[in-house]
Amino acid sequence: MARRLGLALFILHFALFTPAVSARDWIHWRGPEENGVSRETGLPEGFDPKLGTKGNVVWQQPFGGRSAPLVLDGQLFLIQGTGEGLHEGEQVVCFDEKTGKEKWRYRVNVFHTDIVSSRLGWTTLTADPDSKNVYAHTTAGLLLCLSKDGKLLWQRSLTEEFGRISGYGGRIVTPIFDSGLCIVGMVNSSWGDQARAANRFVAFDGKTGEVVWWAENPYPIKGTYYSSPVIAVIGGQRVLVSGGADGYLSAYKVRTGERLWSYKFSAGVVNGSPLVSGNLVYCHHGEENPEGGPIGRLICVDASQVDPKTKTPKLVWEYRKANRFGLASGALADGRLYIPDDSGELFCFSAKAGKLLWKFRYGTEVRGAPLIADGKLYIFDVKGRLVVLTLAGDQEPANDWEYKFRDPRGLLNETNGTVIAVNNRLYFTTRTDLYCLGTPDAKDGCGAYTPFPEEAKFDPTAKPAGVRVFPADVEAKAGEKLAFKTISVDANGRELKPADGGKVAWSLPAPQPPKAKDPNPKAPASKGPPPLNGTIDETGTVALAPMPSQQGYVEGKVGDLTGRARVRVVAQTVYKQDFDKVPVGAAPGGWVNVQSKYAVKELPDGNKVLSKVNTDSRPPFARANGYITLPTATGYTIQADVYGTEVRDRLPDIGLVNCRYTLILDGKTNPDTKKREVRIVSWEARPRVNVAVDFDWSPNTWYTAKFTVEQKEKTALVRGKVWKKGDPEPAGWTVEFEDPSPNREGAAALYGYVSDPQITPENPGSDIYYDNVVLTPNGKNGPGGKTEK
């Protein structure tokens, strides 16, 4: 998404004051106040399954889900898993809010993830109330921007572009829209200063999809997570608050991503969504605690009292009684905090003092969060039970009503989602259906929602507190020209007139060298990677050198303030890499998700190859794709020489990736044939595609693998071949498959998996080597052939 000269420069504008969301929309899964409260009145007190005037089901559609719906401008939106077998995927569906009539659906495939089909559609959607655009973070890592009519406006592939990591349990993060930005959190590992796997947030311009800022926590991650962020105004500062993969509760400036504070309270990840009231911030987890003791914790911190040295807010109170507050989020209403534990017991606390007021057992397994509305509390357990409690202040509530949903086979129908209430109606999903409930005689009415506190008054003449370089992260072609600009901002990230008359000192700085591993202070300093190969002029225009792939930074200095942007020069589908010019221990420039997972090694014969790191058994390191091109690549062939060794009776899996399909030399032996195989897979956790043929490849032997995807009108023809290096290329394909639900594009990549639980730095696993990687466009002469002009 490089910005090219000759195109009109996009002038980024952030609203000085974000307009209030309409009370008749529901664009954050916890409601307009982002606290699980609806101000609607006249809502149904239960569930009568009859459609029409004899029941309270206004409409019902056979579209199930695991998350809360979104309502915007008279339309209801839902993300869900869809289809079966080769046609299984994920989709965003739009309905008329009043009638339930389906208006459109936008479907995508699932790929490059360990998440299984039963966990699809677990993020919720977000939206821009002004443009009416809807944003979705899919299981495969696509961040979609869809118009209200279902047209794709832009998309980013978080996995292929930025090395997003997902786990088996469906732990990916719901995006949030605010101040013109679509912001999403993730665990990722890409390149350069983001090579280390960390919990990061990235903000995209809501209209264009360009990167505005990155934010990072400096703490080690504990796994993947799904804490949904909230927006708040604390002490006049507009902030994003979220639990994290590092066990911390953290806050960031919405418009710049600057980290304001963090509070460590979990030895594992934090999945619960925070709640904010004034200066007080609440969050919870269901993991072990850093200090040991009982599992689980609920905290309240005062974000107006932050230690300036440690960036740690003051702890107001905490609750630690061996309760796992891990998987469902809470609600905050009328000075009371409602938190479900994982076993289906609801806890009510005094929000300011932390006093436990009551507990109520309503289920046995939970994921959905409580909704507080019209004097009642609505909540699901996983096993098909909807419970409605009539609240009684500090006293234990009355269990006035509950209903068990069953699927068409009469079995309990899973209910993992959360009820929402908007426009006098309740909306929710079961595993199989989407429901709208309403009371026939309800009067259209809604109480006033509490607006956010005001931000600090904007002073357009204030001295800038920071400088950003825009765009903040760019992907470009070799030899291209790029345009950058600096934006001066106040302490709240609001744009100011440029300081120093707008004079900018531009440079292409050298990256920081890696930290020295040698404790000897007299040891020679580590030499870092080179700066971006190119030139930059006084206008912020970068002219890149004609190198096929590289990476680096652009820096703009205004007075004593400095901003920086990331630039990745991406390989195209005419590309060769034999690793001879890459330093030993390094990874090719411009590739994503390779640093710390792949490194160039010199073999005893003097040949340089790319080696898969084999000293860490943790999943993100043991198995990884090293992405070479942009995710928009299509119509190409990838070829490479590959080699694997056997250690402790284990061979690795070695592969090539093309258009989100993977050709794998499988290291395991088929128990039926007693032979190893070559497979074509896509979404291996499911797997949607899994075609295998016997190919009893041997360790300590070089092979050449070739993998192509030919796009047809309604299908894709996926073909791979493998032969011993040096032998003539076979005329036929080793394995092939025609996909009726094709992946139309996708980054070229190398795949490696060293599976061995005994792996340690002292006990490495199998070696995987790659050499002579070649990308060629598919031409009229067939896969990898020359294009005729």
Side-chain angles (χ1 to χ4, degrees), residues 328-404:
S329 294
L332 179 61
D334 302 319
R336 299 177 187 89
L337 187 65
Y338 301 89
I339 305 291
D341 76 359
D342 295 352
S343 71
E345 191 166 25
L346 182 67
F347 290 68
C348 178
F349 299 88
S350 164
K352 287 188 176 180
K355 178 183 177 182
L356 177 62
L357 301 176
W358 49 262
K359 297 187 292 184
F360 185 90
R361 170 70 61 185
Y362 69 95
T364 58
E365 183 183 359
V366 300
R367 297 293 186 274
L371 170 72
I372 311 296
D374 202 13
K376 295 176 280 290
L377 184 150
Y378 300 81
I379 194 167
F380 280 115
D381 80 350
V382 169
K383 297 180 179 179
R385 182 185 290 112
L386 173 62
V387 176
V388 182
L389 307 179
T390 298
L391 298 175
D394 293 349
Q395 306 303 311
E396 184 174 329
N399 183 8
D400 284 345
W401 189 91
E402 69 176 61
Y403 182 86
K404 288 186 177 181

Side-chain angles (χ1 to χ4, degrees), residues 414-674:
E414 272 197 8
T415 43
N416 290 279
T418 296
V419 183
I420 70 170
V422 60
N423 298 319
N424 300 110
R425 294 181 175 182
L426 299 174
Y427 298 93
F428 58 84
T429 60
T430 66
R431 180 176 57 82
T432 59
D433 292 274
L434 168 65
Y435 290 92
C436 169
L437 307 187
T439 303
D441 57 354
K443 295 181 179 180
D444 186 27
C446 180
Y449 282 94
T450 303
F452 287 163
E454 290 188 3
E455 295 185 54
K457 186 177 180 180
F458 177 64
D459 179 3
T461 65
K463 181 181 179 181
V467 166
R468 294 187 295 101
V469 174
F470 179 80
D473 199 317
V474 174
E475 295 159 333
K477 297 179 181 179
E480 194 170 11
K481 288 189 175 182
L482 311 173
F484 294 89
K485 62 180 288 188
T486 59
I487 300 172
S488 298
V489 296
D490 70 1
N492 271 20
R494 297 169 294 198
E495 186 171 346
L496 297 168
K497 291 182 178 180
D500 290 351
K503 185 178 179 180
V504 183
W506 291 102
S507 64
L508 303 177
Q512 290 290 329
K515 293 182 179 180
K517 297 181 181 180
D518 192 334
N520 181 4
K522 295 183 179 181
S526 299
K527 185 179 179 180
L532 197 64
N533 193 332
T535 61
I536 187 166
D537 65 18
E538 68 278 1
T539 69
T541 299
V542 175
L544 295 168
M547 292 180 63
S549 62
Q550 58 163 320
Q551 63 204 32
Y553 305 92
V554 171
E555 193 168 271
K557 187 174 183 181
V558 182
D560 58 352
L561 299 174
T562 302
R564 178 175 284 199
R566 292 160 47 87
V567 178
R568 175 188 171 211
V569 181
V570 189
Q572 305 302 299
T573 54
V574 177
Y575 177 74
K576 293 183 179 181
Q577 177 61 267
D578 61 11
F579 310 106
D580 285 348
K581 295 181 180 180
V582 182
V584 171
W591 291 25
V592 166
N593 197 42
V594 289
Q595 290 174 268
S596 76
K597 299 170 186 177
Y598 294 85
V600 168
K601 178 178 181 179
E602 187 171 334
L603 298 181
D605 62 3
N607 186 37
K608 282 185 176 181
V609 297
L610 186 68
S611 174
K612 175 73 183 66
V613 171
N614 60 354
T615 55
D616 195 328
S617 63
R618 291 176 295 173
F621 298 93
R623 180 169 58 183
N625 287 337
Y627 298 105
I628 304 170
T629 68
L630 286 176
T632 51
T634 189
Y636 64 91
T637 296
I638 179 172
Q639 180 173 310
D641 296 332
V642 298
Y643 179 101
T645 66
E646 187 173 21
V647 174
R648 292 183 286 275
D649 297 322
R650 291 174 179 264
L651 269 71
D653 294 347
I654 313 172
L656 308 179
V657 179
N658 186 328
C659 290
R660 297 158 181 168
Y661 301 95
T662 307
L663 176 71
I664 301 177
L665 280 74
D666 199 324
K668 296 181 293 295
T669 300
N670 185 312
D672 296 326
T673 65
K674 310 300 181 184

Side-chain angles (χ1 to χ4, degrees), residues 145-305:
C145 174
L146 302 171
S147 72
K148 65 179 181 180
D149 301 319
K151 179 183 177 182
L152 179 67
L153 301 178
W154 57 261
Q155 70 175 351
R156 303 301 297 258
S157 179
L158 304 181
T159 302
E160 294 164 295
E161 294 182 77
F162 308 118
R164 186 206 70 159
I165 299 168
S166 65
Y168 163 82
R171 294 181 176 182
I172 55 176
V173 179
T174 289
I176 191 166
F177 187 92
D178 191 77
S179 302
L181 304 172
C182 180
I183 306 170
V184 63
M186 59 180 160
V187 174
N188 82 310
S189 171
S190 59
W191 60 264
D193 57 343
Q194 293 189 14
R196 179 184 69 89
N199 191 170
R200 296 183 177 91
F201 290 84
V202 56
F204 298 94
D205 180 85
K207 293 181 179 179
T208 68
E210 292 177 285
V211 176
V212 175
W213 56 253
W214 280 98
E216 176 181 327
N217 269 9
Y219 313 111
I221 59 170
K222 309 299 182 181
T224 54
Y225 77 113
Y226 61 78
S227 178
S228 298
V230 298
I231 304 297
V233 176
I234 301 174
Q237 176 70 251
R238 196 171 192 88
V239 299
L240 176 145
V241 187
S242 179
D246 49 13
Y248 284 76
L249 171 67
S250 299
Y252 312 83
K253 293 183 181 180
V254 166
R255 298 183 183 93
T256 65
E258 178 185 344
R259 185 172 63 93
L260 294 168
W261 53 260
S262 297
Y263 189 90
K264 184 177 183 179
F265 73 116
S266 173
V269 303
V270 178
N271 289 317
S273 185
L275 295 160
V276 180
S277 177
N279 295 329
L280 301 182
V281 182
Y282 308 86
C283 203
H284 50 90
H285 73 80
E287 309 285 332
E288 294 183 354
N289 286 294
E291 311 87 350
I295 289 178
R297 194 177 202 165
L298 167 64
I299 63 168
C300 169
V301 299
D302 188 339
S304 69
Q305 300 186 54

